[in-house]
Each structure stands twice: as structure tokens, then as C-alpha cells.
Amino acid sequence: MDELVSIGAPPAVGGVARLSRPDWLRIRLRTPEPYHRVRRLMEGLNLNTVCEEARCPNIYECWGEHGTATFMILGDTCTRRCGFCAVHTGRPAPGVDADEPARVAEAATAMGLRHVVVTSVDRDDLPDGGAGHFAATIRAIRKRLPGAAVEVLTPDFRGVDDALDIVLDARPEVFSHNMETVPRLYRQARPGSSYQRSLALLADAAVQRDGGYEGRVKTGLMAGLGETTTELEATIRDIRSAGTEILTIGQYLQPTRDHLPVDRYVHPDEFARLRGFALGLGFSHCESGPLVRSSYHAHEHVGAASP
């Protein structure tokens, strides 16, 4: 199957106008055998991926062309209700699935991955926010794939003491936590989170890097939620000042009618300018474009030289 399709905001409801989807938000929808192989593997091992749960527009490229996926651990139910995110919100089943780390490692081995990306839902119901489960997953991957790089994209753990230490003690090659948006929009976009808390988590990870942790520190931003260019640049400065080395910037796409609307579609030229702005501040790597997501081309980020 090979079809060119537009992606973006869902159709208007009740006569309410929506923004027209620009030509650059078109993807080649292909579902070759590698795509179906990845799907069968995830279903067979009862694993979740953020590719499916967050309705990532790059799923056809990553699964179909590269045979890669981003694993989502700690279940499929998030304890927060972010205005931009398609992941199901509610009360998760108590505890954690103790066998999940081994199944993630098994899937990564079957896929022959050299760079494994692991993220999760928010689990504010857990005493450590799920940090121990992240560490167990990193170690399980290490055991099965000792040569693979591991990247984790974690929640903020609600500022739980020692949660970051627990994750970094397992030595992921990349520690990532997404800032997502500018401070002014946090109440709308991330009502259960704090801009300063997220920034502090990145800064703490960078400090540990200076103290012996050898991995990279990474974050991601969305554009098109209603931020101004000035606000976006100020946020990028904050992120770099916190010691973050790798940055991704992508277009916000409204996943359903119940989520925040797209304020604007950012032109690819502006994404290119933002990439230049970030590199000028000293980031070692910046992936910036309409379809960029935090794990897009993640394998290219780990080898980026330190600034």
C-alpha cells in the first residue's frame, strides 16, 4: 500500500472552522512487511508503543522503513490529562508488570535494534513515579543487547527524591524529559506539570553528567500551540542554560477534537531557523521540522559530540 495522505487537525464540528492543512504536512502511507512484523511482535509480547498510543505521524516510516519503535512501559493509562496528548487518561491498574522489562528486551533483540528508546505514561500513583521500572528495563536491555544504546524519555516523577538517581544509576546513553511548551501555556497544555520542575530535572541530569554520568541530556518542544517566537526562543535559551545538549522541535498536531486546537502550522523554513538558533546557543544536536518527534531519528543523536 502506498498512499499520500494529509495529517493534522481533525475535521471541523458544528460549523466551527479549523486551519487548513498545509502541503508540507503530507506523508507517504506505506505498510510493507516490516511494518506488519513490528505490529505482530508488539501484540505478541503484549507491549505498548508511544507510536500507536500517541498517534505519531512517523509510525509508517519508523515501523515500515526502519523497523524501529519507541516502547511505552508502565501500562497504557496515564495519571495526568495533558491537553495535547492522545494517551488514555485514568486510574492505572495498581503496581507494575514485573515481566515487562524482559519483554521489552526480547522485542528489541528480535528487531535487532542498536538504539532502543523507552518512554512511559505518567504514574503519579507509584511511590517512585516508575523510576525503578525504568532502571529495570534499561538493565534488561543491557543483558540481552549489551552493545545497544538505550535512550529513556521519562516523566518528571513529580519531583520525587532520588527518582532521577535511580534512572541514571542504570546508565542510559540518553536521558530525556520533554519540556513540551513555553511557560505561559503550561496550565493549558500540562496542568499536572511545572515548567520549573521539568527544567530542574534536566539541570539535575546535566549536573550528574558533569559528575560522572556519561550519557547525553535531551528534551523536546512543540510549536503551534499558541506560543510566540520570542517565547519559544526564551524557552530554548532556558533549556540550553540548564545544560541540555540535544533538542527536538516539532509541529503540534491535534490528535482528537477533544484536545487543544492547533494555533498555527509552522513553516519548514521557520523550523530550519529555530534549528540554527539552537545550534548557535551550543546544542550539540537539534532535530527541527514539522514531523519531528522526540524519538525521531534518535539513533543519530547519541553520537553527537558534546558542546
Side-chain angles (χ1 to χ4, degrees), residues 185-200:
L185 297 178
Y186 255 61
R187 182 170 293 183
Q188 293 173 273
R190 303 187 73 194
S193 305
S194 159
Y195 180 83
Q196 291 301 329
R197 185 167 63 211
S198 286
L199 197 63

Side-chain angles (χ1 to χ4, degrees), residues 50-69:
V50 76
C51 320
E52 295 174 291
E53 299 296 333
R55 304 186 183 187
C56 180
N58 301 313
I59 188 171
Y60 304 105
E61 177 185 347
C62 296
W63 287 27
E65 297 180 26
H66 304 307
T68 62

Side-chain angles (χ1 to χ4, degrees), residues 61 66 114-115 117 149 151 174 216 218 246 248 275 284-288 294-305:
E61 177 185 347
H66 304 307
R114 305 304 296 169
H115 188 98
V117 185
E151 174 175 333
V174 179
R216 302 283 185 247
K218 174 180 174 182
I246 301 170
T248 63
R275 179 178 184 274
S284 62
H285 191 95
C286 178
E287 194 91 30
S288 180
S294 54
S295 59
Y296 188 59
H297 294 170
H299 62 286
E300 298 177 4
H301 307 168
V302 70

Side-chain angles (χ1 to χ4, degrees), residues 145-231:
L145 284 171
V150 181
E151 174 175 333
V152 292
L153 172 58
T154 78
D156 61 11
F157 303 117
R158 277 279 171 94
V160 172
D161 289 341
D162 300 327
L164 179 63
D165 292 341
I166 291 170
V167 175
L168 295 189
D169 280 349
R171 292 295 187 265
E173 275 71 20
V174 179
F175 173 82
S176 181
H177 170 71
N178 282 345
M179 293 296 298
E180 305 291 11
T181 190
V182 302
R184 179 175 57 84
L185 297 178
Y186 255 61
R187 182 170 293 183
Q188 293 173 273
R190 303 187 73 194
S193 305
S194 159
Y195 180 83
Q196 291 301 329
R197 185 167 63 211
S198 286
L199 197 63
L201 184 69
L202 293 173
D204 288 347
V207 167
Q208 292 210 32
R209 187 179 187 282
D210 292 339
Y213 168 58
E214 297 178 353
R216 302 283 185 247
V217 181
K218 174 180 174 182
T219 194
L221 288 171
M222 295 177 292
L225 266 171
E227 74 291 332
T228 67
T229 299
T230 298
E231 288 177 316

Side-chain angles (χ1 to χ4, degrees), residues 61-293:
E61 177 185 347
C62 296
W63 287 27
E65 297 180 26
H66 304 307
T68 62
T70 297
F71 300 99
M72 191 176 79
I73 60 174
L74 293 167
D76 62 358
T77 302
C78 187
T79 54
R80 301 189 197 178
R81 190 181 297 276
C82 294
F84 60 86
C85 184
V87 174
H88 175 67
T89 299
R91 180 178 296 178
V96 300
D97 180 351
D99 294 329
E100 186 175 51
R103 297 201 308 275
V104 170
E106 181 180 348
T109 302
M111 295 165 71
L113 299 182
R114 305 304 296 169
H115 188 98
V116 187
V117 185
V118 180
T119 188
S120 78
V121 292
D122 286 286
R123 289 295 302 272
D124 296 324
D125 60 308
L126 299 174
D128 68 350
H133 203 65
F134 266 102
T137 304
I138 296 167
R139 293 189 175 103
I141 295 168
R142 289 261 187 271
K143 185 175 181 180
R144 289 290 298 267
L145 284 171
V150 181
E151 174 175 333
V152 292
L153 172 58
T154 78
D156 61 11
F157 303 117
R158 277 279 171 94
V160 172
D161 289 341
D162 300 327
L164 179 63
D165 292 341
I166 291 170
V167 175
L168 295 189
D169 280 349
R171 292 295 187 265
E173 275 71 20
V174 179
F175 173 82
S176 181
H177 170 71
N178 282 345
M179 293 296 298
E180 305 291 11
T181 190
V182 302
R184 179 175 57 84
L185 297 178
Y186 255 61
R187 182 170 293 183
Q188 293 173 273
R190 303 187 73 194
S193 305
S194 159
Y195 180 83
Q196 291 301 329
R197 185 167 63 211
S198 286
L199 197 63
L201 184 69
L202 293 173
D204 288 347
V207 167
Q208 292 210 32
R209 187 179 187 282
D210 292 339
Y213 168 58
E214 297 178 353
R216 302 283 185 247
V217 181
K218 174 180 174 182
T219 194
L221 288 171
M222 295 177 292
L225 266 171
E227 74 291 332
T228 67
T229 299
T230 298
E231 288 177 316
L232 194 55
E233 290 180 349
T235 298
I236 293 172
R237 287 193 189 95
D238 285 348
I239 291 168
R240 180 67 195 115
S241 295
T244 309
E245 303 164 88
I246 301 170
L247 175 65
T248 63
I249 312 171
Q251 171 71 52
Y252 167 62
L253 297 173
Q254 184 182 6
T256 75
R257 299 181 182 95
D258 296 326
H259 289 82
L260 292 173
V262 175
D263 177 75
R264 67 186 178 114
Y265 289 115
V266 180
H267 193 276
D269 289 349
E270 185 172 347
F271 278 112
R273 189 194 64 77
L274 287 170
R275 179 178 184 274
F277 177 79
L279 294 176
L281 292 176
F283 283 92
S284 62
H285 191 95
C286 178
E287 194 91 30
S288 180
L291 296 180
V292 167
R293 296 297 181 265

